[in-house]
Amino acid sequence: RSKQWYQRRVRGSVKQLRVTFREYENYCGEDIEDSIKSEMSGDVEDAFLAIARIVKDPQMYFAGQLYKSMKGLGTNDDKLIRLIVWRCEIDLVEIKECFKII
């Protein structure tokens, strides 16, 4: 699996990427996230994992980001505010339901 393969995969539409990820798992027997973790590292890995997670379940991804912004000592206020303002008119209610699961 080359970097070029991954680059081609993230240039499609969300619907196309969902189908591609499902077919990848059927063909390789491995989830796309596991493959990314084994083939990449650092910021590139983080970026590709974020893309894969957003494509698979955007509300759960953003619920996780909200959790991370509030986890530990102190809150990352800038990140928290940015996420809430950005998603408030899109899918904040669904994110709230996913957040309850985390």
Side-chain angles (χ1 to χ4, degrees):
R1 296 170 209 121
S2 68
K3 287 184 182 180
Q4 291 173 342
W5 185 91
Y6 289 109
Q7 289 171 347
R8 287 192 304 268
R9 295 298 153 259
V10 298
R11 290 188 180 155
S13 69
V14 172
K15 184 177 178 180
Q16 179 185 359
L17 285 171
R18 284 188 184 125
V19 171
T20 302
F21 291 168
R22 187 173 52 248
E23 290 303 313
Y24 179 86
E25 186 170 356
N26 291 337
Y27 181 75
C28 295
E30 176 177 52
D31 182 68
I32 191 72
E33 288 184 44
D34 295 332
S35 183
I36 291 169
K37 290 174 188 174
S38 69
E39 297 288 330
M40 298 182 174
S41 62
D43 292 339
V44 172
E45 177 186 3
D46 293 342
F48 276 88
L49 284 173
I51 292 166
R53 290 172 181 160
I54 289 170
V55 167
K56 286 179 168 184
D57 190 346
Q59 290 80 22
M60 187 58 81
Y61 172 79
F62 289 113
Q65 292 302 304
L66 285 171
Y67 177 79
K68 285 180 183 178
S69 74
M70 296 181 277
K71 182 174 109 177
L73 295 174
T75 299
N76 183 337
D77 291 333
D78 290 340
K79 184 174 185 177
L80 179 62
I81 291 167
R82 186 174 59 248
L83 285 165
I84 290 175
V85 169
W86 180 29
R87 305 308 293 189
C88 70
E89 293 184 12
I90 301 170
D91 56 0
L92 196 57
V93 173
E94 291 88 355
I95 292 170
K96 176 184 168 187
E97 295 305 313
C98 291
F99 190 84
K100 292 177 184 178
I101 296 169
I102 296 178

